[in-house]
Amino acid sequence: MINKEPRVRFAPSPTGYLHVGGLRTALYNYLFAKHNNGKFILRIEDTDRNRYVEGAVENLIASLKWCGLEYEEGPDVGGAFGPYMQSQRLDLYKKYSEELIKNGLAYYCFCTPERLEALREEQQKQKLPQAKYDKHCLHLSKEEIENNLSKGVSKVIRLNVQSDQKIIIDDIIRGRVEFNSSNVDDQVLIKSDGYPTYHLANVVDDHLMQITHVVRGEEWLSSTPKHILLYEYFGWEKPYFAHLPLLLNPDRSKLSKRQGDVAVEDYRAKGYLKEALVNFVALLGWNAGDDKEFYNMNELIERFSLERVNKSGAVFDLEKLSWLNAEHLRKKTDEEILNLLKVEINHSSSVIHQYSDDYLLKVIAVMKERVSFVKEYLTKSPYFFEAPQEYDKASLEKNWKTETPPQLEKLNEAFSRIASPSKEEFEKALTETAEELNIGKGKLIHPLRLAVSGMSAGPGVFDILVIIGKDETIKRINTSLSKIKL
RNA sequence: GGCGCGUUCGUCUAGUGGCUUAGGACGCUGCCCUCUCAAGGCAGAGACCACGGGUUCGAAUCCCGUACGCGCUACCA
């Protein structure tokens, strides 16, 4: 078990938005921290100036917070180990890389991109097993280095990797993974613009920020040897590593924009509940070992463990997400749904009238079991907000006969005789009318539903009638009688 | 090409050597309920556990190989 208070971080690079894969990484970090009474930290890895996107950090933070992933330390909330933006920690990376140089564990490299390119080409032509930097600048004389430095020749700092050393990662999820340092390139640590690469920055920061567990995507597994080497060269204690499986497209390639939505904000805009997204994403690669699939955040925190995370990638399946969305929506109280529905109505252009909370609550009560998304209150039962403009053709053919209009007229008369009908009174009036006409109730019910809603699906007709009220009911029946011509 | 990781129903997964004629969920089909549609209940189709060898009395589970997929192979993260 973990004896130290765990400290974990989510360390995205601000490229525009929060990817659902990133959400899962953040979520697992968060759940792990909360489960173990640890700290969850947000650190922004903005060391690539070419990839900087305006507003990306704010966007990322907004998505994270919308999902309920609150961090104890981060760029906007501060903390004892800040700053939490790597672009504000440049002096630190400089200091530590120079320390490495002093100890012969890193070196200046003045090679031009052109030489590097030529080197790669040559190695490829010779069909060498791997393309690696040839350590050319490691063998520069002290004078040459001094000279280049004083002349301001463009330079980078490279890691001096010793060959043929066994590097072992004890990954929490994957177990023991072995690498040979001969396959590790002399990675650039500090770029010519003075910014660090991911490899240096993440090791320095994880150490300084006292990160105990590095929980990140599988795409990092291959570069972990570089990080291990860095920890060893610095003489620092290594954190535990846990490399998460990838999220996949339906064709099993890495989840990408090309094949659908990948941003958390896309799902939010489409009307998915944060509870459903979080629940769904949590289950993509993890389960508690039982059949439970419906989780709220607290239950996830209670049950989560890295040891039960899968090794293989998982396809992001929208159908199951929709089901979970419906489940979470139905579990909400009517009052919670009311608030969501009011937001939806405000954003809708099709609902023009004002409706009281009381009215909306009645709609919610009868539609709750029939919707998977909040917006479906409007799309699946528009008749609660506006009289039908047209009538479902298939149902018309099936249920609207030549004898229907006079029968509905009779029904309308019966309705108009009741002062303020309840659901039962509406039904009683219909039953009696059917008896008088000597026909089955269905002969009236189906046309009535059509007249009043324009649709063939929905809550019980009498539920619809009480909600829209007697006057509106009568009005809609009359409208249908004049509009529907056979 | 090199290095690394992975492979159980269409999808998410349970399974850590005998409890397994491989369990659950989503989706799909049918039935029940019923004024319709949902929800719910019940039933069903759907996986020769990638393939081939071993180890063992016994393997989805352990070992080796092969195939396929994926990741990395940048002065990107």
Side-chain angles (χ1 to χ4, degrees):
Chain A
M1 205 46 218
I2 301 121
N3 37 35
K4 236 183 347 184
E5 174 194 82
R7 289 174 55 83
V8 296
R9 83 304 195 272
F10 175 52
S13 89
T15 51
Y17 54 87
L18 179 59
H19 191 279
V20 287
L23 167 64
R24 195 195 50 178
T25 302
L27 177 65
Y28 284 10
N29 271 285
Y30 174 83
L31 296 175
F32 176 77
K34 291 292 166 189
H35 180 88
N36 295 293
N37 291 310
K39 293 274 188 289
F40 175 56
I41 296 148
L42 175 66
R43 185 176 70 221
I44 303 298
E45 311 238 327
D46 55 344
T47 56
D48 185 357
R49 291 191 295 178
N50 301 321
R51 289 221 291 181
Y52 179 74
V53 175
E54 192 69 41
V57 176
E58 290 72 17
N59 207 300
L60 210 59
I61 288 176
S63 287
L64 232 34
K65 291 194 169 166
W66 178 69
C67 292
L69 303 185
E70 297 284 344
Y71 38 87
E72 272 91 340
E73 299 169 28
D76 57 333
V77 297
F81 301 87
Y84 294 88
M85 300 273 280
Q86 290 187 325
S87 57
Q88 294 169 18
R89 301 169 64 82
L90 264 29
D91 48 338
L92 253 16
Y93 311 126
K94 185 168 186 284
K95 176 186 153 200
Y96 284 104
S97 57
E98 281 168 2
E99 182 187 314
L100 248 25
I101 290 179
K102 206 178 304 159
N103 297 328
L105 300 167
Y107 57 94
Y108 289 114
C109 171
F110 303 96
C111 290
T112 61
E114 291 72 36
R115 183 178 121 75
L116 261 20
E117 180 63 27
L119 181 65
R120 250 192 297 270
E121 261 174 45
E122 178 60 24
Q123 288 172 333
Q124 224 152 60
K125 211 185 291 169
Q126 286 180 236
K127 290 208 156 103
L128 251 48
Q130 69 261 133
K132 271 169 62 182
Y133 179 62
D134 61 359
K135 284 184 185 284
H136 173 264
C137 290
L138 177 62
H139 310 297
L140 256 34
S141 69
K142 243 196 177 83
E143 292 70 36
E144 281 175 296
I145 296 171
E146 287 305 323
N147 193 243
N148 280 337
L149 250 26
S150 63
K151 278 199 299 193
V153 175
S154 181
K155 65 173 191 301
V156 300
I157 296 177
R158 285 184 183 274
L159 186 65
N160 185 12
V161 178
Q162 321 289 319
S163 66
D164 209 29
Q165 307 217 313
K166 213 181 249 184
I167 301 168
I168 290 156
I169 304 166
D170 261 311
D171 194 272
I172 295 173
I173 293 166
R174 278 148 222 286
R176 185 191 169 100
V177 182
E178 225 177 280
F179 292 87
N180 188 304
S181 68
S182 299
N183 294 315
V184 179
D185 200 0
D186 277 10
Q187 182 66 46
V188 170
L189 263 21
I190 300 281
K191 298 178 260 186
S192 57
D193 64 2
Y195 277 64
T197 57
Y198 171 85
H199 309 286
L200 204 229
N202 113 76
V203 168
V204 167
D205 287 346
D206 284 344
H207 174 256
L208 261 23
M209 293 180 181
Q210 296 178 18
I211 299 303
T212 57
H213 300 253
V214 171
V215 181
R216 75 218 316 187
E218 190 188 343
E219 68 267 30
W220 295 111
L221 187 58
S222 298
S223 42
T224 305
K226 292 166 188 169
H227 310 154
I228 302 260
L229 246 25
L230 244 9
Y231 280 103
E232 286 174 358
Y233 286 4
F234 281 123
W236 292 340
E237 191 187 345
K238 289 186 280 278
Y240 292 100
F241 289 98
H243 287 96
L244 271 21
L246 260 23
L247 254 34
L248 273 25
N249 286 312
D251 69 356
R252 304 205 76 86
S253 58
K254 189 174 165 183
L255 190 63
S256 69
K257 224 173 185 170
R258 279 263 89 175
Q259 298 189 36
D261 292 318
V262 294
V264 168
E265 59 191 283
D266 292 335
Y267 289 92
R268 180 183 184 179
K270 281 192 166 184
Y272 288 92
L273 296 169
K274 56 176 179 284
E275 293 88 343
L277 227 207
V278 165
N279 188 164
F280 176 63
V281 147
L283 257 19
L284 248 30
W286 171 87
N287 77 87
D290 53 24
D291 291 338
K292 186 173 167 66
E293 299 210 88
F294 184 90
Y295 285 94
N296 60 38
M297 190 68 95
N298 285 335
E299 293 170 324
L300 286 172
I301 290 170
E302 200 175 303
R303 307 295 299 279
F304 186 80
S305 76
L306 285 174
E307 285 76 12
R308 287 206 59 88
V309 173
N310 288 163
K311 295 179 177 71
S312 51
V315 174
F316 197 85
D317 173 29
L318 275 327
E319 299 227 63
K320 196 150 185 176
L321 208 208
S322 294
W323 169 73
L324 266 176
N325 203 70
E327 290 288 296
H328 278 276
L329 190 52
R330 280 194 282 271
K331 284 279 187 342
K332 287 187 178 294
T333 65
D334 291 3
E335 286 68 28
E336 287 172 314
I337 296 174
L338 174 65
N339 289 327
L340 295 169
L341 180 55
K342 281 158 87 172
V343 171
E344 194 63 44
I345 287 174
N346 283 337
H347 291 173
S348 166
S349 52
S350 59
V351 179
I352 37 175
H353 303 290
Q354 284 281 99
Y355 294 92
S356 67
D357 288 1
D358 191 51
Y359 182 85
L360 295 176
L361 248 10
K362 286 181 195 163
V363 173
I364 290 167
V366 299
M367 287 302 292
K368 203 172 181 177
E369 299 295 328
R370 286 165 241 269
V371 298
S372 297
F373 293 87
V374 176
K375 65 176 58 161
E376 287 180 348
Y377 279 99
L378 306 183
T379 60
K380 284 197 168 178
S381 55
Y383 44 84
F384 284 127
F385 307 98
E386 194 185 3
Q389 300 299 309
E390 45 199 37
Y391 304 90
D392 180 75
K393 212 162 166 250
S395 178
L396 220 48
E397 276 170 27
K398 193 176 171 207
N399 301 306
W400 197 278
K401 311 291 183 200
T402 41
E403 64 272 23
T404 301
Q407 292 169 346
L408 274 188
E409 259 171 67
K410 203 162 171 52
L411 180 65
N412 225 0
E413 283 163 27
F415 284 166
S416 61
R417 281 196 292 272
I418 325 167
S420 176
S422 64
K423 180 179 163 184
E424 291 70 27
E425 284 168 323
F426 268 125
E427 181 155 15
K428 186 162 166 265
L430 184 136
T431 306
E432 286 171 359
T433 305
E435 276 169 9
E436 281 173 41
L437 290 166
N438 206 16
I439 54 173
K441 285 164 71 175
K443 285 272 183 287
L444 287 175
I445 283 178
H446 295 292
L448 172 61
R449 171 185 294 283
L450 206 46
V452 116
S453 75
M455 299 180 162
S456 63
V461 245
F462 305 111
D463 286 315
I464 297 176
L465 301 190
V466 271
I467 290 174
I468 63 173
K470 172 184 160 182
D471 294 346
E472 184 66 19
T473 298
I474 290 171
K475 205 168 112 192
R476 289 189 187 182
I477 291 173
N478 285 330
T479 304
S480 73
L481 289 173
S482 61
K483 269 188 151 180
I484 300 172
K485 302 282 181 237
L486 290 177

